[in-house]
Amino acid sequence: MIDVAQRINAVRRKVGSRVFKAGEARVVTVSQTYDSTVEDVWDACTNPERIPRWFLPVSGELRLGGRYQLQGNAGGTIERCDPPKGFSATWEYDGNVSWIELRLTEAPEGGTRFELDHIIHVEDDARWAEFGPGAVGVGWELGFVALTRHLSTGAPVDPHEGMAWVGSEEGRRFVTLSSDGWYEAFVAAGEDPAVARAKADRTTAAYTGAEG
């Protein structure tokens, strides 16, 4: 279905921290370059008719101050909107509130540099103790596999096909390599390698259904 190694190597992963809304926060950053214009990538990420072609059906008002809801997933409020350069929004899921910030810029080598920060206050991040940055990092990368296909072909991605792929040998390999990438980013940010490895292994198991 895809060149797994190429997709994994195309992603840049970073783990950091910052003061955000008067609290200490962790920041997981996923970035890569798409062979599309800034305007096209912006439309793919903000057009309610186009988002379901690669991600999930979305309802609500996709405007500054508007509320959105992704079917069966997160919802939130759009807090900043600067088309076609980026936006920020709350990411409310399972009783927890975090934030996403998207930045789109023209890449020096051509195409569009896509950079997404997922931000969560330290005191609210119970999943970090078990999974580390891969909990959100791997999930975003899986979503961006579909975005890459959509941007390169213009065609919608069948969600059932996508779910089946995640459970395939190729999909499990992608998850494992993505999780390993987040392990490396975690260690580069100063985490103890043994601790980072254990969290990455739990993340891989959770995404591949190999828990327990």
Side-chain angles (χ1 to χ4, degrees):
M1 181 179 176
I2 70 169
D3 184 333
V4 170
Q6 189 276 332
R7 294 289 173 85
I8 290 294
N9 292 333
V11 175
R12 296 294 174 265
R13 305 166 185 87
K14 183 179 179 182
V15 179
S17 62
R18 61 189 276 198
V19 175
F20 183 80
K21 295 184 181 290
E24 183 183 356
R26 297 188 176 99
V27 185
V28 174
T29 303
V30 192
S31 58
Q32 66 184 93
T33 298
Y34 291 110
D35 188 20
S36 299
T37 65
V38 169
E39 290 77 13
D40 186 44
V41 179
W42 170 263
D43 187 68
C45 295
T46 60
N47 185 332
E49 295 183 358
R50 198 168 171 190
I51 292 171
R53 298 179 192 172
W54 65 272
F55 197 34
L56 292 166
V58 61
S59 59
E61 296 181 291
L62 302 188
R63 59 170 179 79
L64 184 62
R67 293 280 305 176
Y68 73 92
Q69 179 63 53
L70 292 161
Q71 184 175 299
N73 204 294
T77 300
I78 299 170
E79 297 188 335
R80 180 182 61 83
C81 187
D82 183 20
K85 298 178 181 179
F87 68 82
S88 61
T90 61
W91 186 263
E92 302 169 25
Y93 181 73
D94 197 26
N96 297 313
V97 179
S98 54
W99 290 262
I100 55 172
E101 292 185 350
L102 175 66
R103 295 179 294 279
L104 302 177
T105 56
E106 293 184 4
E109 66 273 26
T112 297
R113 188 66 177 169
F114 174 108
E115 192 168 47
L116 180 82
D117 289 344
H118 196 135
I119 307 162
I120 186 165
H121 284 135
V122 171
E123 65 269 21
D124 297 331
D125 198 0
R127 298 178 71 193
W128 189 273
E130 185 173 1
F131 299 108
V136 296
V138 173
W140 283 117
E141 287 192 52
L142 286 169
F144 298 155
V145 168
L147 177 58
T148 300
R149 288 187 63 197
H150 172 63
L151 288 171
S152 62
T153 66
V157 178
D158 185 334
H160 299 293
E161 178 185 327
M163 288 298 294
W165 176 78
V166 173
S168 71
E169 181 178 349
E170 186 178 77
R172 291 192 298 271
R173 179 168 174 253
F174 180 93
V175 166
T176 300
L177 292 175
S178 173
S179 189
D180 286 347
W182 286 107
Y183 158 79
E184 293 172 1
F186 204 9
V187 171
E191 183 57 88
D192 176 84
V195 173
R197 182 73 268 166
K199 293 183 179 184
D201 289 346
R202 285 193 289 269
T203 297
T204 302
Y207 275 100
T208 60
E211 294 177 288

